[in-house]
Amino acid sequence: MKKNLITTAMLFALPTIAFAGENTKNELAPIVVYSAYATPVNQDQTASSVTVLTEKDFAERNATYVSDVLKTVPSLAVSTSGGRGTLTNVFLRGADANHTAVIIDGVKANPVSGYGFDFGGLALSNIERIEVLRGEQSALWGSDAMGGVIYITTKKGLEKGKTFNVDYDFGTGSHRTVDGSLTLSGSNNNFYYALHGDSHHTKGISALSKDRFNYTAQDGTAVSTGGASERDKFHRDNTSLRFGYDDNQKGFDFLTSHSSQTANFDNSATDEKGHYTRTRDTLFKLSGFLGNGDELLKHKVGVSHIKTDSDTVGYASAYDAKKLNANYQLDVNFDREGSITQGLSFLTDYQKTDFNSSYFNNAGNKKLIEKSVAAEYRLLHDADHSLNVSGRYTDSSEYENSWTGRIAGAYRLHNNVKAHASIGSAIQNPTITEYYGYNARYIGNPNLQPEKSVGGDVGFLFETDDHRHSVDITYFTRNVKNAISSEVINSVTYASRAVNLDGKSKVKGLEVAYNGKITDVLTAYANYTYTQTRDSKGIELARRPKHLANTGLAYQITEKLGADVNLSYTGKRMDTYYSPSYSTHKVKLPSYTLANVGVNYKVAESLTVYANLNNVFNKKYENVLGYGQEGRNVYVGLRGSF
């Protein structure tokens, strides 16, 4: 408890310390946001709550995997069922794990199954930047965007401005972890290319907890977890090729990638051995554009195909999935000069998905075709005022057709204060297994309706004249109807099915986020999120902490030596214990605070050595009830480019 109070005190004290620091001369460079609108927009002009993370942030927050850096973002709770490589989902602004759209290089990467994107094996080695866009976003991104969007951009060869460049990153750490990454890239005469490969291997920890934990459920039942012993290893290989042409007037981009990962898991405390899932993903994407934002018209077209093969050993389960997407966008920039610019975008999208599982009740290929049209109007003012109106109509072959919309606006009240607000609607279609069933224990429900939400936010951004310090305070709320849950339909076999709940599930909360460049060699961030969640019966939603807080400092001690420290606090959250007799018991998991430190030294222009010590105080905790987490661990590596 004392440690948690210290963390909270630091979070609230840090902005005060930062603003008291010396303001130095130069303004920070503008940041472009790609996820919030149909076209790229300066972050100062957006009305949306969005966090932008770059490679510099990845390093300063001791991050090796995407999930490492996502857990430092406001309103984002990470749920991890074990060590590295195990199922890792996110809950954004209290939304379900499958309510966040994950876009990688313009392609929606959410699994065909309809479940949430698994970040467990996704490394940062080939990622240039990540945007986390919060709030209802179905008007622009369709289903899966009720909580928001995580927009990931990989490297493509233009970053260095060289004909040939080599980037490398090799590391090793606790639990016999070995990672390696190599990228060959370059650009010349507007052509670019990037060939990338990475491999990650760890002996890992037990997916189920090794340490013993004792809880008392809300109904008074004594609950005990832990005692597992076998390590659950993880191995992932990934390769990608990207090339294209971009002269700011016309261009194309081709991307292909293939990944293969094997993640071991425990079936139960008495059945630990011989269980693993092997997943292979193959992506092809081709896109092109004609025109630019300074002209009246800009055309964009794209086509992508994702193929997933997954096999689980230990019990008979396998599936094959395919997703084909084709899209076209027309930008009409009818007002391009002066202090006010205006534009319209028209989007059309066709998506066909196929899913075939050996574990279905009614085996066979399941298909879903979705066709949608969308439009967006935007007005941007040089003084950072903005207005955005967007809407989408989706025609679904299986689910209910839907309309979604969004209105967002921002107004700079003062040179140091900007108000922003948004309201929107969103949908979430049922998952494949909810709709069709899975096995004799989980029965399909073809009468399921899509989940529908209406939500919004309002906030104020306070910043210094040079933009070196900012504090954003945002209140958000969401009401969800037709929320999908499950019910037991046979008390003997415990067979269950998915159902739409009556009434509305409600989420509301507050985000406070500070970012600062205290001096030219000292930067800081801090954020706090309060989230209250209730289903239609007034019961708290699982795995959504009421309180989340993060803070960090990065200090460039000398020209070559740098150091950073990061603290994260996760508050109490509800989870469910399933007994051997299939009875369920609600358990409130305790809060925990983690501390990480890192140091880096630039040996030469092309070589930096770094070391990270994570979970410094060796905190024993369960992020998800029953599942283990790493104690104190170390990671050392070297990276660079030439």
Side-chain angles (χ1 to χ4, degrees), residues 472-493:
D472 197 343
I473 303 173
T474 303
Y475 171 82
F476 61 88
T477 183
R478 173 185 305 114
N479 289 340
V480 182
K481 69 176 183 178
N482 297 334
I484 296 176
S485 185
S486 61
E487 67 175 5
V488 175
I489 59 177
N490 188 316
S491 58
V492 177
T493 64

Side-chain angles (χ1 to χ4, degrees), residues 464-612:
T464 56
D465 290 337
D466 56 10
H467 290 197
R468 293 170 70 93
H469 304 277
S470 67
V471 175
D472 197 343
I473 303 173
T474 303
Y475 171 82
F476 61 88
T477 183
R478 173 185 305 114
N479 289 340
V480 182
K481 69 176 183 178
N482 297 334
I484 296 176
S485 185
S486 61
E487 67 175 5
V488 175
I489 59 177
N490 188 316
S491 58
V492 177
T493 64
Y494 285 96
S496 62
R497 67 175 180 181
V499 293
N500 290 114
L501 296 178
D502 294 329
K504 294 181 179 180
S505 298
K506 298 182 179 182
V507 178
K508 62 181 178 180
L510 182 72
E511 301 163 352
V512 182
Y514 163 77
N515 287 284
K517 190 174 179 66
I518 301 172
T519 70
D520 288 339
V521 296
L522 181 63
T523 59
Y525 75 95
N527 56 70
Y528 165 78
T529 307
Y530 170 82
T531 308
Q532 184 185 91
T533 63
R534 293 288 185 270
D535 67 13
S536 58
K537 298 178 181 178
I539 299 173
E540 182 180 339
L541 299 179
R543 300 178 186 174
R544 276 77 152 184
K546 184 172 290 187
H547 303 282
L548 282 172
N550 301 280
T551 187
L553 285 168
Y555 181 37
Q556 192 65 39
I557 303 169
T558 68
E559 184 178 349
K560 294 185 176 183
L561 178 64
D564 57 79
V565 58
N566 296 271
L567 294 173
S568 65
Y569 170 80
T570 300
K572 296 178 181 179
R573 60 233 173 268
M574 192 65 67
D575 213 330
T576 303
Y577 174 73
Y578 296 89
S579 74
S581 62
Y582 298 105
S583 61
T584 60
H585 307 273
K586 297 290 185 181
V587 176
K588 180 80 78 171
L589 295 180
S591 61
Y592 60 89
T593 299
L594 301 179
N596 304 321
V597 297
V599 63
N600 60 83
Y601 185 79
K602 195 171 186 177
V603 178
E605 193 62 34
S606 60
L607 174 62
T608 297
V609 178
Y610 62 93
N612 299 327

Side-chain angles (χ1 to χ4, degrees), residues 21 250 291 309 410:
K250 58 185 177 298
D309 297 314

Side-chain angles (χ1 to χ4, degrees), residues 452-471:
K452 298 180 180 180
S453 74
V454 175
D457 56 38
V458 59
F460 294 90
L461 172 68
F462 304 90
E463 54 191 351
T464 56
D465 290 337
D466 56 10
H467 290 197
R468 293 170 70 93
H469 304 277
S470 67
V471 175

Side-chain angles (χ1 to χ4, degrees), residues 1-22:
M1 174 61 73
K2 289 182 179 179
K3 199 179 296 180
N4 293 343
L5 291 174
I6 292 171
T7 302
T8 305
M10 288 186 64
L11 286 170
F12 284 102
L14 188 53
T16 306
I17 296 170
F19 276 108
E22 177 186 359

Side-chain angles (χ1 to χ4, degrees), residues 242-500:
R242 188 174 190 177
F243 61 86
Y245 177 85
D246 186 345
D247 66 1
N248 197 38
Q249 171 61 36
K250 58 185 177 298
F252 74 92
D253 184 60
F254 175 79
L255 170 66
T256 181
S257 65
H258 178 77
S259 66
S260 175
Q261 76 172 45
T262 302
N264 287 52
F265 64 93
D266 298 324
N267 193 40
S268 70
T270 57
D271 185 15
E272 296 185 70
K273 296 184 178 181
H275 303 285
Y276 63 88
T277 298
R278 184 177 180 225
T279 306
R280 286 87 66 204
D281 290 298
T282 303
L283 163 70
F284 292 95
K285 173 214 165 188
L286 177 64
S287 62
F289 72 91
L290 178 64
N292 60 47
D294 296 326
E295 299 180 344
L296 176 62
L297 300 178
K298 181 177 181 179
H299 305 267
K300 292 188 281 188
V301 63
V303 61
S304 64
H305 184 269
I306 301 175
K307 184 178 187 296
T308 301
D309 297 314
S310 179
D311 299 285
T312 298
V313 175
Y315 57 88
S317 177
Y319 72 83
D320 299 322
K322 299 177 183 178
K323 179 161 58 177
L324 172 68
N325 179 276
N327 58 80
Y328 169 76
Q329 177 174 328
L330 172 65
D331 299 330
V332 183
N333 306 300
F334 60 85
D335 190 358
R336 306 183 298 281
E337 298 178 356
S339 60
I340 295 177
T341 60
Q342 299 180 78
L344 288 168
S345 292
F346 302 95
L347 306 90
T348 182
D349 190 272
Y350 171 87
Q351 183 166 286
K352 178 185 177 183
T353 58
D354 295 86
F355 190 88
N356 196 338
S357 174
S358 63
Y359 217 45
F360 271 152
N361 292 331
N362 45 348
N365 191 42
K366 313 302 178 187
K367 294 185 178 181
L368 172 65
I369 295 177
E370 290 185 326
K371 294 171 282 186
S372 64
V373 291
E376 176 186 83
Y377 164 77
R378 57 193 168 272
L379 179 151
L380 305 172
H381 193 286
D382 285 349
D384 297 342
H385 313 317
S386 66
L387 176 65
N388 172 265
V389 182
S390 55
R392 174 180 291 268
Y393 175 75
T394 302
D395 181 303
S396 174
S397 64
E398 302 298 324
Y399 309 130
E400 181 181 292
N401 298 339
S402 62
W403 288 93
T404 53
R406 186 171 186 269
I407 301 174
Y411 189 84
R412 187 163 287 281
L413 303 170
H414 183 272
N415 191 44
N416 306 110
V417 183
K418 185 177 78 171
H420 57 88
S422 70
I423 184 170
S425 60
I427 64 163
Q428 179 63 46
N429 289 326
T431 68
I432 290 284
T433 51
E434 288 169 344
Y435 195 75
Y436 290 107
Y438 194 54
N439 55 27
R441 296 282 295 280
Y442 196 75
I443 311 302
N445 185 354
N447 296 317
L448 279 176
Q449 299 295 309
E451 298 174 291
K452 298 180 180 180
S453 74
V454 175
D457 56 38
V458 59
F460 294 90
L461 172 68
F462 304 90
E463 54 191 351
T464 56
D465 290 337
D466 56 10
H467 290 197
R468 293 170 70 93
H469 304 277
S470 67
V471 175
D472 197 343
I473 303 173
T474 303
Y475 171 82
F476 61 88
T477 183
R478 173 185 305 114
N479 289 340
V480 182
K481 69 176 183 178
N482 297 334
I484 296 176
S485 185
S486 61
E487 67 175 5
V488 175
I489 59 177
N490 188 316
S491 58
V492 177
T493 64
Y494 285 96
S496 62
R497 67 175 180 181
V499 293
N500 290 114

